[in-house]
Structure formats: structure tokens, C-alpha cells
Amino acid sequence: MKYCETIKGYRRSLAERRPANKFSNGRTDHRFRRQVLVSFGIVLGVLVAGVHPAAATDPSEPLPHIEKLARPSLKDKKDAQKDKKDVHSESISNRQPMDSAARAQALDKVYGYKGWNIIFPSFADSLTQDDGYWRTRLASYGFGFQTQNSAIFQGNILNTPRNVPSAGFLPCQPANIRYNCAGGRSYAGQQPLAYISGLGFLTYDMSQWGIPDGQIAAAGSYQISTDQQFSPTTFRFQGLSWYQTLADKKFEFQVGYFPSMPEFAGTFVGGLVTSPFGPSASVPIVLGQSPNSMGTPNFRATWNITDELYAQTGIQRSLPVNGPTGNPIYDEVKSNPSGFGFTSSVPGTRILYTNELGYKTQAAPGNPFTWLRTGLMYNSSTFKDYSRLLVDPTATKDGALGFYALGDYQIWQQDPSSPNTAYRGIYLGGTFMYGPPETTAFTQYYEARAYWFAPFDSRPRDMLSIIYSHNKVSKNVQRVINNFSEFTNFSAIDSSNSITASYMFNIRPGLYATFGAGYTDKPSLQYFKGEGSSLSLLFSIYAML
């Protein structure tokens, strides 16, 4: 294989190799196929030896180009002409190959998954990068591949009940999912919680067929959880979509089967999927939006009005918002366990429409990061009507309108000396979300956040965050719960407050550990006497291959 001196030249070399669509050596071809098959079977559980500090670069910026060799010094004017003739041959003979991380980074633009409104992790930020040229070989066929795996552990350390008392409460039924019933849970983390999940993305570049910037993507997901209400255990199809740009990337389109959450609003702290703790907004899910781990039939169109201003719209088959348990994620998994169902078997499940307007500038020397976005959500599905539930237990209402507004701003640039370090510094952000009190249990959500990218010079990919959130409960839902409290021994809260502090530690490329603690004054919608507050210790591992 000929080495290329620059990322641009490396991408060109892939295109030149692609038409042959084969390897000259049969044994190499056999080994390659075996490597690809093994890669698809990798799951979380990887423990990496030889931990070393992360490279001092911004994860959202390209890795530095390989330094060019200096021209040989001229001995004197008489030798100048001779040295000029020898420069080219000497440069070639001393040219250094791109390392594994640089080769992996070079593949991002074409083979990385396209469509998210936050940063999709780089191939360079993975445990395997391009070791053994396996991504290069895969790319020579037009493919890109990445897996994202996480493990989350959470547990309350206060001296409070670990479950609902067995005496004086109604027995658990299937619709309870062992929540708010005798011997069950009241909230996630009341008992120690363990949650393992993973996503796998396979992309195919359509530019080799004369369709510039076109991409076909397929994805699968798995979740294993000790708390089925928090996240039901499943292994399912997650996505199959086509992404395309038009008019010099002025317009973006994506159609197929994919989740909406990473495409709209941008609720991940710092735009990083590697940091899982803090935000607790339920309004988008209650209104039927598909989360990151769950694809649904979907269409998204984005108009990049300027380099900073954009408008986008989404049309998604809703999650079942009026299913047997009232938990849209759980009911989607149980009614569509394989993930292949185009329609929902839950009656009244229809379409979610989302429209978003945003303004976004990336961090640059002297130019702080700014991201403002606001959106409307309308779901035409049939919802339970809490405002009439006491009169008619089967009361429903067609259609629900929601609203969200979020903003993030970099208030201090710690190192504005170069584009690769301008992202470092302190950010402030806020969120407001609203759902109608007739159809959503938590009708208003407020969040204030502060986070610090790369607080230490030697830790350029770490992040410290503190998030405060306030959830307000619908008055209609409160009335329904309190009306039956004499029989259930549960009462409704009017609101809850939470504060979470965490530190995301980049162990090595592709491996992150997050430690934190979270306090909530009223951790469950329905509380029983003596339930108390929660102070949970939080820990997660995020690994990318």
C-alpha cells in the first residue's frame, strides 16, 4: 500500500483503489472478510490495557496534518541548483506514513454516519481506530462501521426504602411493570440499577455510483437492564435510511427508519453521547419522539439558510403514546420487539411532526460557541385525556402540541490560540419544554446547565458538568392520582427538583468513564409516606469500536 502524505490525498487513494473491488492476494481477502465478521460481533465488555493520556486535540476538529519535512539547507550558491533537483526525491524517500488515528480521522467525512445535529463520534475516537488498516479495507468497498457501547450503574445511598412496602398497597399487575405497587419500585435507582446498551452503524457511500454525498445507513441496537420500566431488555433493528444533500449542501434530506432524538433539539450535554447523566426531560418521549436507541419510520429535511442559521422539519411515526403501560418506550418494544414494524399495533398511534429553527456557530479563536434552537412538536395520535379521566376512565383526546427552546453559549475560551483548542472553556445552557396538561404527566421542564470542556491541559477530552432540572406535574394528573390515594396509599407530587454533578474522564481514544452524583427531592410521580428523597451515585463506561 502506498502511503499518502495528507488526509486529502489519502481519501483520493481510496477512490483510486475502489474500482478494482478486490485484493490481489486471496489470503488477504480471506483475512479481511474474517476481520469484518468479527467486528460485527463485538459487544461491550472490552477492558483496555495500557491506558495512556488522550492526544491534545479537540475531538470535534480534524487531527493535525503530518508535518512536512524541511527543505535541505543550501550549502552555498553554487550548490543551490543541484539541491533543488534533489528535494523531491529526498522528500519521497523520507515521507512518513499516516498513523492509525490519522487514517481513521480521514474516513469520517465520507464514511461516518450523517444526519445527527450533534457530533457523531470520530473513527479516530475508537478503540480500534484503523489498526491493521481494517477500516481502510472496508472503505475501499464503500463501507464504514462503528459500534457505541455503554454501561450505566446507579444506586441511591440514602437510608430510604428500597421498594414500595408489601402491606397496604395494591398487588403488581403486568401494566405496572413492577412500579408503584406492593413490593415494586417507585423510581429508577431506588434499587441498584444496571443498564448495558449498544448501537452498531454500517454506512455505505453512494458517491462511488455518481451520487455525491449520498449515504445508505443501517443500524442495530441492544439493551439489557435490571429495571424494565427504565429500559426494557431488547435486541432489535434500529435503522435503515438514505441521507442526501442538494444544492451544494444547502439542503439535507434523510428518509427511512431512524430515531429522531439525535436529529432534533440537541439535549445531550455538550453535544456528547459519551456523557449520559444530568438531563431528565420526558416531554419529547411522552409526545412520541423516538430516542437514540429506537428507530421508527421517519423523514427529515433541513434547510441550511446560512452557515449559521438553519430550519428543519421531521415527520415520524409516533411511539405508542396510549399503550397498555403508558410508557411509550416500553410499549413500543413490546408491540414491535424486532423493530421491523412499520406501523404500530397500538390503536390510535399516528404521526409526530417536528419543526425546528436554530442558530449555531462553532468555537473559533475569538468566536465562542453558540447554539440556539426552538421547536414545535405536534402529534396527531390518540392520547389519554387526564382532564376528563375522573368522569370517564376511557376518555381520550386526539392530538397534542408541544414546544421546546434550548440555548448553549461558551462564556469563556480557555485557550483561543488556535482552532484546535478554541473549544476549551466554560459553557452555560438552558432548556424549557412544554406539553399540554391534558395529555402529558410532566407538563413543564426547566433545566440550567454549566459544563467545562478540557479543564486541564493534559486532559483535552474531559468534561465537568453540573445540571439543575425542575419538572412540573400536570394539575389534571395530580387530581386523578390524589382522588384514589385513599385506596392506593399513593399521592401525587406537584413538582420535583434535581441536581447532578459529573466528570467525564477520557481514558484513551474510544473509552470514557463518567463519575457523578445526583440528588432529587421527590424522585417519583406517585409517592408513598416515608419514601424520602434520593441521592444516587452514578457511574458509566462508554466504549466505541
Side-chain angles (χ1 to χ4, degrees), residues 283-285 287-289 352-355 375-379 400-404:
V283 171
I285 299 298
L287 287 177
Q289 187 180 79
L352 171 67
Y353 303 91
T354 306
N355 289 283
L376 288 173
M377 306 171 67
Y378 176 76
N379 194 325
L401 182 68
F403 169 80
Y404 61 83

Side-chain angles (χ1 to χ4, degrees), residues 5 82 97 172 183 207-208 213 225 362 382:
E5 187 176 7
K82 179 179 180 298
C172 292
S207 65
Q208 62 182 325
D213 223 21
S225 174
Q362 297 296 339
T382 298

Side-chain angles (χ1 to χ4, degrees), residues 230-543:
F230 176 78
S231 178
T233 296
T234 180
F235 183 88
R236 70 201 308 265
F237 168 73
Q238 194 255 7
L240 180 63
S241 63
W242 180 299
Y243 171 90
Q244 186 65 58
T245 64
L246 295 175
D248 195 24
K249 300 186 179 181
K250 200 76 173 177
F251 301 96
E252 301 176 41
F253 299 93
Q254 190 172 5
V255 62
Y257 206 100
F258 58 93
S260 290
M261 183 171 285
E263 315 267 342
F264 290 92
T267 57
F268 296 96
V269 177
L272 300 178
V273 294
T274 51
S275 179
F277 301 124
S280 57
S282 63
V283 171
I285 299 298
V286 172
L287 287 177
Q289 187 180 79
S290 50
N292 193 30
S293 61
M294 184 172 292
T296 50
N298 217 333
F299 170 80
R300 176 183 61 84
T302 301
W303 175 23
N304 297 306
I305 304 169
T306 68
D307 290 341
E308 297 83 20
L309 187 65
Y310 69 89
Q312 61 180 13
T313 186
I315 303 173
Q316 175 214 315
R317 193 266 284 160
S318 172
L319 296 183
V321 294
N322 191 25
T325 70
N327 181 329
I329 294 177
Y330 184 90
D331 290 335
E332 171 70 16
V333 168
K334 294 305 177 182
S335 63
N336 182 20
S338 67
F340 285 101
F342 191 82
T343 60
S344 175
S345 61
V346 177
T349 301
R350 301 186 184 94
I351 305 298
L352 171 67
Y353 303 91
T354 306
N355 289 283
E356 178 176 308
L357 180 67
Y359 176 87
K360 189 175 189 179
T361 61
Q362 297 296 339
N367 183 34
F369 174 89
T370 304
W371 190 12
L372 307 174
R373 59 272 194 205
T374 183
L376 288 173
M377 306 171 67
Y378 176 76
N379 194 325
S380 62
S381 300
T382 298
F383 290 78
K384 194 181 299 294
D385 188 351
Y386 295 113
S387 66
R388 297 191 297 122
L389 216 56
L390 292 177
V391 178
D392 179 7
T394 63
T396 59
K397 175 182 175 65
D398 287 345
L401 182 68
F403 169 80
Y404 61 83
L406 299 90
D408 290 84
Y409 182 74
Q410 186 180 12
I411 63 170
W412 176 56
Q413 286 192 324
Q414 186 172 346
D415 185 3
S417 61
S418 89
N420 287 340
T421 58
Y423 75 98
R424 295 184 60 194
I426 297 177
Y427 297 67
L428 294 180
T431 298
F432 171 72
M433 294 185 176
Y434 173 83
E438 297 85 5
T439 55
T440 56
F442 290 98
T443 184
Q444 296 178 43
Y445 175 77
Y446 303 84
E447 178 181 302
R449 53 189 172 273
Y451 47 102
W452 190 351
F453 275 129
F456 307 106
D457 292 343
S458 60
R459 307 296 316 163
R461 294 175 185 261
D462 290 6
M463 184 180 72
L464 172 67
S465 64
I466 300 176
I467 295 98
Y468 165 79
S469 62
H470 175 82
N471 275 288
K472 186 173 180 57
V473 179
S474 162
K475 294 291 186 182
N476 297 310
V477 172
Q478 292 181 52
R479 282 195 292 268
V480 172
I481 294 174
N482 291 332
N483 185 71
F484 297 100
S485 60
E486 183 180 349
F487 307 100
T488 63
N489 285 324
F490 283 105
S491 299
I493 64 171
D494 59 349
S495 63
S496 70
N497 299 279
S498 299
I499 186 166
T500 303
S502 64
Y503 188 88
M504 184 186 72
F505 180 82
N506 181 215
I507 301 174
R508 56 156 294 162
L511 188 63
Y512 293 81
T514 303
F515 304 86
Y519 172 80
T520 303
D521 60 350
K522 301 170 186 175
S524 64
L525 173 61
Q526 302 181 60
Y527 74 91
F528 60 89
K529 186 176 181 180
E531 178 180 299
S533 303
S534 74
L535 176 60
S536 296
L537 294 183
L538 311 170
F539 173 69
S540 77
I541 285 285
Y542 205 96

Side-chain angles (χ1 to χ4, degrees), residues 115-169:
W116 285 11
N117 66 356
I118 56 176
I119 299 168
F120 189 81
S122 169
F123 292 136
D125 193 13
S126 65
L127 295 172
T128 55
Q129 295 182 335
D130 191 30
D131 295 345
Y133 293 86
W134 76 276
R135 289 192 197 275
T136 297
R137 293 171 180 170
L138 198 62
S140 70
Y141 286 93
F143 291 99
F145 178 70
Q146 186 186 80
T147 67
Q148 302 172 12
N149 306 276
S150 66
I152 295 175
F153 305 94
Q154 174 181 339
N156 184 15
I157 61 173
L158 295 181
N159 185 24
T160 54
R162 293 294 178 259
N163 53 261
V164 178
S166 298
F169 294 85

Side-chain angles (χ1 to χ4, degrees), residues 73-83:
S73 60
L74 299 178
K75 296 178 181 179
D76 51 42
K77 293 182 179 180
K78 293 181 180 180
D79 296 329
Q81 192 64 32
K82 179 179 180 298
D83 286 344

